[in-house]
Amino acid sequence: MDAAAWDERYRGAELVWAAEPNRFVEQELTGLEPTGRVLDLAAGEGRNAVWLAKLGWEVDAVDFSAVALEKAGRLAADRGARLHTVCADLTAWSAAEATYDLALIAYLHLPWQQMEHVLRQAARAVRPGGTLLLVGHAAANLRQGDGGPQDPRVLYTAEQVATVWRAYADIVRAETVQRLVTTPDGPRTALDTLVRAVRP
């Protein structure tokens, strides 16, 4: 889907996704001292960015959907949080190097060559001692899980992500995790890729 298609999807008054942060983002990042800058790539409507801003982080939320970022701004205002938004296509945008203390990528799915570019940009944007975190639909979810993209070309494994980030950071965690989801047919299990790394 391109930016116009995502704009259309986000155009409704209601949030497409929940207002609360992703469960794995919350679990992995709650213990970090919120004293620096965050780069949230593919921030969407801002659920994770706003949560991080409320904790005290200075957050730059980047997405190619202007409509999503407008909603992120409203969510931040409603919750008394400050958020800086950047409307940009991540396949053609880059952050200043060694600028951020945390880079987050949550449920960004692109063809692997483009995804690898974004992963490298995220790693370069984090300063020494900073954290990288990715959460996304796992490749195994296509056949063994529920929901998510149905195109194998935009899915990835933890090892694929970790292999890219090892050139820049120490891998703390790289695995497939389970996420319970509610469907019209009852509860189902989705499989997600989770990779956390720290730049030395």
Side-chain angles (χ1 to χ4, degrees):
M1 294 174 69
D2 60 16
W6 277 106
D7 279 346
E8 191 58 36
R9 184 172 185 183
Y10 285 126
R11 195 155 273 126
E14 300 299 318
L15 292 173
V16 174
W17 317 115
E20 301 309 314
N22 170 265
R23 69 194 72 182
F24 298 120
V25 171
E26 185 173 15
Q27 289 170 12
E28 293 294 316
L29 301 182
T30 292
L32 289 183
E33 189 68 28
T35 56
R37 296 185 66 190
V38 174
L39 180 62
D40 184 358
L41 297 171
E45 297 164 303
R47 58 187 295 202
N48 298 312
V50 171
W51 175 73
L52 288 163
K54 284 288 290 180
L55 290 179
W57 293 96
E58 182 183 343
V59 183
D60 289 346
V62 186
D63 201 281
F64 71 173
S65 170
V67 174
L69 292 176
E70 287 172 12
K71 293 173 85 169
R74 289 197 297 271
L75 181 63
D78 290 344
R79 300 198 168 192
R82 295 182 61 186
L83 198 62
H84 177 242
T85 60
V86 179
C87 189
D89 181 344
L90 294 177
T91 64
W93 179 86
S94 61
E97 293 194 14
T99 301
Y100 295 90
D101 301 280
L102 166 64
L104 170 64
I105 304 172
Y107 300 96
L108 173 64
H109 292 275
L110 299 166
W112 182 246
Q113 186 175 5
Q114 295 177 335
M115 190 70 199
E116 189 174 13
H117 168 78
V118 175
L119 291 170
R120 293 187 188 282
Q121 291 296 323
R124 293 182 183 122
V126 173
R127 57 174 59 106
T131 296
L132 294 157
L133 179 64
L134 174 138
V135 182
H137 301 287
N141 192 65
L142 188 63
R143 299 220 178 341
Q144 302 171 32
D146 187 85
Q150 298 301 296
D151 183 350
R153 295 173 299 176
V154 300
L155 297 171
Y156 38 76
T157 67
E159 185 53 34
Q160 279 181 281
V161 175
T163 296
V164 176
W165 276 353
R166 279 193 188 99
Y168 305 90
D170 298 323
I171 305 301
V172 176
R173 185 179 182 191
E175 59 190 90
T176 301
V177 292
Q178 295 185 347
R179 175 171 47 89
L180 291 178
V181 293
T182 302
T183 76
D185 298 321
R188 295 288 185 270
T189 299
L191 301 179
D192 285 348
T193 289
L194 191 158
V195 182
R196 180 174 175 175
V198 176
R199 290 215 66 176

